[in-house]
Amino acid sequence: MIFIATAIELEARPFIEKLNLKKNPDHHLYNIYTGGDFALIVTGVGKIASAMAVTYMLSHFPVPDFFVNAGMAAGDEGVGIYLINSIKDLGSERSVYPAMLLDIDLPEKPLCSSDRVLSPDEVKKGYLYDMEGIGFFLAASKYLTNDRILLFKYISDNGIADGNLSRERIESAITESSALVAEKIKDLTMYKKEMKTTLVDKARFDAFADYYLMSTTSRKDLLKLLTYAQFIGRDPRHLLLINETVAKASRKQAGIRFIEELKNELLP
Amino acid sequence: MNYYRKNFSHIYVEKAIKDHPETERILESFPHSTIVDIERYMDVFSPTYQDFYSEKASQKIILAKSVSTLLFPGAPVCQSFGNDHFYYCSGVMNCIYDCEYCYLQGMYPGANMVIFVNLEDTFKEVEALLAKHPVYLCISYDTDLLALEGILGFVKKWIEFTKLHPSLTVECRTKSAGFDLVEALDIPDNFIFAWTLSPDEVARKYEHRAPNLSARLESIKRAQSKGLSVRLCFDPILHVTNYLLFYSAFFERVFSELDIDLITDVSIGTFRISKSYLSSMRKKRPCEITTYPYETSGGYYSYSDAVNTKLLDMAEKEISRYIPAEKIFRI
Ligand code: SF4
């Protein structure tokens, strides 16, 4: 799954359309849209709103492969879409860093998250500015490793304090930028976290261990051996064969013997 | 399709050393990398939650300033070769190679490579120690410094420093095939290159990205052809399927190809690791090496005594056909 967080409904709309998302009727605290491999939440503006919404999402849905924050930013860079490589909280001066492992073909910029709209002379060259990034990242990084948290920010204007952030101006910029971002987000579905293989079927393992009246320690030892077996090319399922003729009184000992013999069999 | 960026796509630079000459020199090697300014290296090296193996797939460099000591007393599981005052220096954290048995995976939270560029401060520290007693210092434990020579040039600096200090003995351990990068230098006797060698079967399967045996042997031969006496480390010897078959052929190859008179000494050891590192490695990288049913003693995991003895006896017996027993150090 890929989750997307946008601050406002306007930013969400192009994704809803491009990714065929439908409003999820089970959630009333937030507007959440789901469909296929994607889920989108409209967080509200500001770092606290963003962090709360991300936490809500991650505590109500299984942890996704990626969590993406997409939205407008300001700054005196050229109009465009940027992948964020560092996020500074202008309140605490603390910085965090997405891992930048995936080969996403977009220019990069550092992002500063502010609690208020900045005046032009507070804006440093080379930086983008938003109000959510840091909250989004910090909340998401409680659940996901930092290589799975991505921020795409788009710039449409460089006069954030000129009071001209009209709906039309934002809407047209968002529509243009979001098409490309949606494609980038779709690309992420090709990159799935390797599934951790279930080494041994749990029901089968439990049945085996229960039959031989294994203690917790013996169960742990057996599980470790079966894991090792898999890495040396042995199929753990073929190793767990219950000998149904063992009398109940002898099973505990038989289990201990089984572990010892299995170890001898597996070691080079 | 490779979804990961190339290694070193990003170089993170601590503000404190942004203008350090080493920083500027190192950055020249990476004209296409994205440079990201950072306050503290730990913010990138050890954030809240990271994935060691994803990071290893696209390693980044972090240039930092060491603010506390980088010299540490040698650990009991490390071979001192009979030297007193045994220290190691952790001037670079993490390695470009990817050995499945490497303790760095258990020791460090992330796979990015931290390079402390203010080597001059470490030199001062070593000189302070030398004022008290001779020092035996391993400079390439938590990394492979020779493998990084093309971008760092730190081995050259250490060679020059060692030349000035006769009571200092430096060991530079490596699996690199890059001896040519320092070949032209005047290397003093108290600077010892130590090559870790493994059979190709082991190198191919467990020492990812590291040069194969032939390439390492070629590098050693270049060193020997300069008259340099080298140390060989057969460590860790691994208890893996068919080990008897290939270790024996391996020792024969090594000692028939190299100049035996130019081998200072040899160390042999089996896989051993602290309990906490192995538990961390098992979580990060379940594999044949980490899931082996080791036995524990004194806070360390290793093979059973019987297996350790079997492996070390086998190695010692093979090696002593070529090298006098007093030159073989066993852990
Ligand atoms: S060469 Fe040494 S430091 Fe590098 S990964 Fe291998 S064992 Fe670790």
Side-chain angles (χ1 to χ4, degrees):
Chain A
M1 284 289 283
I2 294 171
F3 291 178
I4 303 159
T6 64
I8 55 174
E9 201 71 37
L10 197 61
E11 291 172 325
R13 195 166 305 146
F15 292 104
I16 295 169
E17 283 165 19
K18 286 219 163 289
L19 302 173
N20 287 323
L21 307 182
K22 300 272 174 294
K23 188 148 192 311
N24 188 313
D26 301 335
H27 298 272
H28 305 291
L29 284 178
Y30 290 97
N31 282 348
I32 291 175
Y33 302 85
T34 51
D37 254 351
F38 304 95
L40 181 147
I41 185 165
V42 179
T43 64
V45 174
K47 66 184 181 194
I48 293 174
S50 182
M52 284 169 58
V54 166
T55 306
Y56 179 88
M57 196 74 177
L58 289 168
S59 43
H60 284 81
F61 291 84
V63 174
D65 294 301
F66 294 97
F67 209 147
V68 172
N69 175 217
M72 302 292 295
D76 62 359
E77 291 300 304
V79 169
I81 301 167
Y82 298 94
L83 185 64
I84 298 304
N85 60 24
S86 77
I87 310 153
K88 182 172 192 166
D89 180 0
L90 290 183
S92 68
E93 296 279 306
R94 179 183 172 191
S95 293
V96 292
Y97 304 90
M100 310 308 290
L101 304 184
L102 298 185
D103 199 1
I104 296 170
D105 185 23
L106 279 179
E108 293 175 27
K109 287 284 166 207
L111 175 74
C112 295
S113 289
S114 165
D115 290 328
R116 60 182 174 81
V117 175
L118 300 173
S119 63
D121 57 338
E122 289 176 291
V123 172
K124 277 201 291 179
K125 189 155 178 52
Y127 287 81
L128 303 189
Y129 291 82
D130 82 343
M131 295 175 78
E132 290 81 32
I134 190 75
F136 164 79
F137 188 93
L138 289 176
S141 63
K142 289 279 175 219
Y143 298 79
L144 279 93
T145 52
N146 62 348
D147 54 313
R148 306 195 160 264
I149 308 169
L150 302 163
L151 290 87
F152 296 96
K153 294 286 167 182
Y154 6 112
I155 288 219
S156 67
D157 66 286
N158 58 8
I160 72 174
D162 69 2
N164 194 18
L165 285 170
S166 70
R167 192 179 177 91
E168 292 70 32
R169 191 168 162 183
I170 293 174
E171 203 163 332
S172 80
I174 288 174
T175 309
E176 275 170 36
S177 308
S178 61
L180 181 57
V181 173
E183 286 309 312
K184 297 285 173 200
I185 291 176
K186 274 189 196 164
D187 283 351
L188 293 176
T189 55
M190 295 190 290
Y191 176 90
K192 290 276 185 194
K193 193 169 176 67
E194 265 174 52
M195 293 297 291
K196 283 210 172 71
T197 45
T198 311
L199 296 165
V200 191
D201 173 58
K202 186 167 172 358
R204 192 185 186 118
F205 178 85
D206 285 345
F208 187 89
D210 289 346
Y211 179 82
Y212 285 106
L213 308 169
M214 286 186 181
S215 64
T216 314
T217 313
S218 293
R219 281 168 200 255
K220 277 190 191 156
D221 288 345
L222 178 59
L223 194 58
K224 278 186 198 156
L225 275 179
L226 294 174
T227 311
Y228 174 67
Q230 173 164 295
F231 287 112
I232 56 166
R234 300 286 301 271
D235 186 337
R237 287 169 305 175
H238 298 156
L239 301 170
L240 290 184
L241 301 175
I242 291 176
N243 176 355
E244 279 161 3
T245 62
V246 182
K248 190 157 189 188
S250 317
R251 282 188 201 159
K252 200 173 173 73
Q253 271 312 313
I256 292 169
R257 236 183 6 256
F258 176 87
I259 292 175
E260 218 27 63
E261 284 166 7
L262 180 61
K263 188 168 165 181
N264 291 335
E265 183 190 331
L266 295 177
L267 291 188
Chain B
M1 181 176 172
N2 185 11
Y3 297 104
Y4 286 104
R5 291 173 194 268
K6 287 199 176 103
N7 276 346
F8 312 147
S9 64
H10 290 67
I11 316 278
Y12 295 86
V13 182
E14 258 190 6
K15 285 206 175 118
I17 46 84
K18 200 167 166 50
D19 299 323
H20 194 286
E22 283 302 322
T23 304
E24 289 169 7
R25 200 179 50 75
I26 293 167
L27 289 180
E28 280 170 14
S29 303
F30 300 100
H32 304 298
S33 300
T34 303
I35 313 297
V36 183
D37 291 339
I38 57 170
E39 293 290 340
R40 286 167 302 270
Y41 79 87
M42 289 301 279
D43 292 341
V44 182
F45 185 56
S46 174
T48 319
Y49 195 18
Q50 65 199 123
D51 182 338
F52 190 99
Y53 281 95
S54 297
E55 286 185 5
K56 196 78 190 175
S58 173
Q59 255 181 317
K60 316 298 185 199
I61 286 180
I62 306 166
L63 300 179
K65 179 178 181 183
S66 64
V67 287
S68 55
T69 185
L70 298 178
L71 299 183
F72 304 96
V77 283
C78 297
Q79 178 60 263
S80 70
F81 296 89
N83 290 282
D84 293 328
H85 310 296
F86 166 29
Y87 295 83
Y88 73 98
C89 173
S90 190
V92 176
M93 304 200 291
N94 271 324
C95 184
I96 56 167
Y97 301 144
D98 180 27
C99 304
E100 286 189 20
Y101 52 75
C102 182
Y103 68 96
L104 298 177
Q105 304 164 101
M107 188 161 97
Y108 293 139
N112 291 328
M113 198 153 56
V114 180
I115 296 164
F116 294 107
V117 299
N118 52 325
L119 202 53
E120 65 279 3
D121 292 330
T122 302
F123 287 161
K124 278 187 206 140
E125 268 192 82
V126 176
E127 280 169 340
L129 282 177
L130 286 168
K132 295 184 213 151
H133 49 65
V135 171
Y136 171 65
L137 179 66
C138 294
I139 58 167
S140 185
Y141 265 9
D142 297 342
T143 187
D144 191 315
L145 219 46
L146 188 58
L148 296 168
E149 188 62 7
I151 47 175
L152 296 188
F154 283 7
V155 175
K156 176 173 184 261
K157 285 185 188 288
W158 275 107
I159 288 172
E160 284 161 357
F161 179 76
T162 308
K163 221 159 39 178
L164 302 174
H165 299 88
S167 55
L168 171 67
T169 304
V170 166
E171 185 212 78
C172 179
R173 193 166 295 201
T174 186
K175 289 189 177 97
S176 161
F179 182 75
D180 54 316
L181 293 167
V182 291
E183 194 169 19
L185 302 174
D186 173 24
I187 301 167
D189 289 346
N190 53 337
F191 191 97
I192 303 165
F193 279 100
W195 266 275
T196 299
L197 297 177
S198 308
D200 255 337
E201 292 83 347
V202 168
R204 262 200 307 272
K205 196 161 173 202
Y206 309 104
E207 296 173 350
H208 311 287
R209 304 187 202 168
N212 62 23
L213 177 61
S214 303
R216 288 183 226 178
L217 286 174
E218 280 315 308
S219 217
I220 300 173
K221 283 187 222 165
R222 284 181 91 133
Q224 289 188 326
S225 69
K226 225 177 115 67
L228 221 60
S229 188
V230 302
R231 168 171 290 155
L232 301 183
C233 304
F234 301 108
D235 186 4
I237 296 170
L238 298 178
H239 189 218
V240 289
T241 313
N242 292 333
Y243 73 94
L244 273 177
L245 277 182
F246 53 72
Y247 268 107
S248 169
F250 158 70
F251 288 125
E252 192 176 326
R253 175 173 176 198
V254 168
F255 292 107
S256 64
E257 286 197 28
L258 298 181
D259 181 344
I260 288 170
D261 294 332
L262 288 175
I263 293 174
T264 310
D265 46 29
V266 167
S267 80
I268 55 175
T270 55
F271 181 78
R272 60 212 177 272
I273 194 157
S274 85
K275 274 178 89 167
S276 60
Y277 292 175
L278 186 65
S279 352
S280 165
M281 285 162 72
R282 280 179 167 158
K283 282 189 207 115
K284 290 174 184 163
R285 183 183 218 167
C287 64
E288 180 183 343
I289 301 289
T290 55
T291 60
Y292 182 101
Y294 298 104
E295 298 196 354
T296 165
S297 152
Y300 289 92
Y301 274 115
S302 188
Y303 302 125
S304 66
D305 287 346
V307 170
N308 275 330
T309 308
K310 194 165 65 174
L311 291 173
L312 292 173
D313 285 353
M314 173 272 298
E316 197 167 347
K317 188 168 154 235
E318 294 286 342
I319 296 167
S320 56
R321 289 167 53 202
Y322 313 94
I323 301 283
E326 65 275 13
K327 284 189 171 187
I328 303 172
F329 289 81
R330 174 171 169 152
I331 270 226

